[in-house]
Amino acid sequence: MTRHVQADPYPWPYNGDLRPENTVVLVIDMQTDFCGRGGYVEKMGYDLALTRAPIGPIQRVLSAVRAAGYHVMHTREGHRPDLADLPENKRWRSRRIGAGIGDAGACGRILVRGEPGWEIISELAPMPGETIIDKPGKGSFYATDLDLVLRRKGVQNIVLAGITTDVCVHTTMREANDRGFECLVLSDCTGATQMANHLAALQMIKMQGGVFGAVADANSFLNAIV
């Protein structure tokens, strides 16, 4: 039996093979540093309402997919406590805007593994047994074992949620597309530090017949799996 999500620019997945066994919901970087008070994004001066907007929709999706037996995975961006994996130019750029990675902040050292700001927010806390991928960069495949874990689980389809649409979500989608995974971004389960960037990132996905995959909202996805 084929099953599709009503998505743009094509019904997703392309082959209609949408099953709990071969599909993962990947929640990207819903960490205090990106959407919590005192974290990295707030320290840079951005509106937290934009990065917190996906929380409710993600909660609804997670409730449904967990009940249906779909794979759920999470990512966290952060660096080793000794900062051995932090490129100098990345740290330099962050310090220029007053939120130096590795420096002390209201939620501990900014974007450092093990600090309070690095943790996933309580509203979207992983359930026991759900895989967490710790990554040092924007893409979830770079310097991680994500590809290995996905293939071991038999995943073909990746449903992307989290933040930010234009940076970590987009980079992960591009990496996944190049590896042959079929990708769907949930528009209301993602967010960016500027709405214009969020909308532009979604539009890029839909160009050229779905150059990286497809876009749908949470309701469209949930209607397809229930």
Side-chain angles (χ1 to χ4, degrees):
M1 181 184 77
T2 59
R3 177 180 293 176
H4 288 100
V5 178
Q6 292 307 304
D8 190 4
Y10 63 88
W12 184 92
Y14 79 100
N15 59 2
D17 188 11
L18 174 59
R19 297 174 283 116
E21 298 82 8
N22 73 346
T23 303
V24 65
V25 173
L26 182 62
V27 183
I28 296 175
D29 296 1
M30 292 300 293
Q31 301 162 253
T32 297
D33 265 330
F34 294 119
C35 58
R37 292 293 175 193
Y40 179 54
V41 164
E42 187 174 55
K43 191 169 178 60
M44 286 190 288
Y46 292 110
D47 182 2
L48 279 186
L50 293 175
T51 58
R52 291 186 62 81
I55 294 174
I58 293 173
Q59 287 176 319
R60 290 196 299 116
V61 168
L62 290 182
S63 178
V65 297
R66 283 167 173 158
Y70 283 77
H71 299 290
V72 175
M73 297 174 62
H74 309 259
T75 74
R76 293 181 293 210
E77 181 178 346
H79 294 278
R80 296 173 180 270
D82 64 1
L83 306 182
D85 58 353
L86 175 61
E88 285 297 326
N89 59 347
K90 183 177 181 180
R91 191 176 196 188
W92 179 84
R93 289 193 300 262
S94 66
R95 282 180 163 172
R96 285 192 75 225
I97 54 175
I101 296 172
D103 295 345
C107 299
R109 297 173 68 204
I110 294 170
L111 281 184
V112 170
R113 296 178 183 181
E115 298 288 337
W118 166 82
E119 297 288 356
I120 294 170
I121 59 173
S122 59
E123 297 97 319
L124 297 173
M127 297 291 287
E130 292 178 352
T131 300
I132 303 172
I133 299 293
D134 286 316
K135 60 189 184 70
K138 279 75 171 177
S140 300
F141 289 86
Y142 170 68
T144 76
D145 57 3
L146 176 58
D147 186 78
L148 174 63
V149 173
L150 292 173
R151 297 192 191 281
R152 287 281 296 150
K153 290 180 180 292
V155 169
Q156 300 169 11
N157 306 317
I158 302 178
V159 179
L160 295 109
I163 51 181
T164 59
T165 323
D166 53 333
V167 183
C168 294
V169 175
H170 227 268
T171 304
T172 298
M173 186 179 200
R174 290 167 182 244
E175 291 177 324
N177 174 72
D178 280 344
R179 288 166 170 81
F181 293 101
E182 174 71 345
C183 297
L184 177 73
V185 164
L186 298 182
S187 57
D188 51 348
C189 292
T190 51
T193 52
Q194 293 184 347
M195 181 57 71
N197 288 355
H198 171 68
L199 296 175
L202 296 177
Q203 183 61 26
M204 289 177 195
I205 297 164
K206 296 183 282 188
M207 299 299 290
Q208 301 175 42
V211 64
F212 303 120
V215 178
D217 60 18
N219 284 340
S220 297
F221 176 65
L222 294 176
N223 287 340
I225 68 169
V226 297

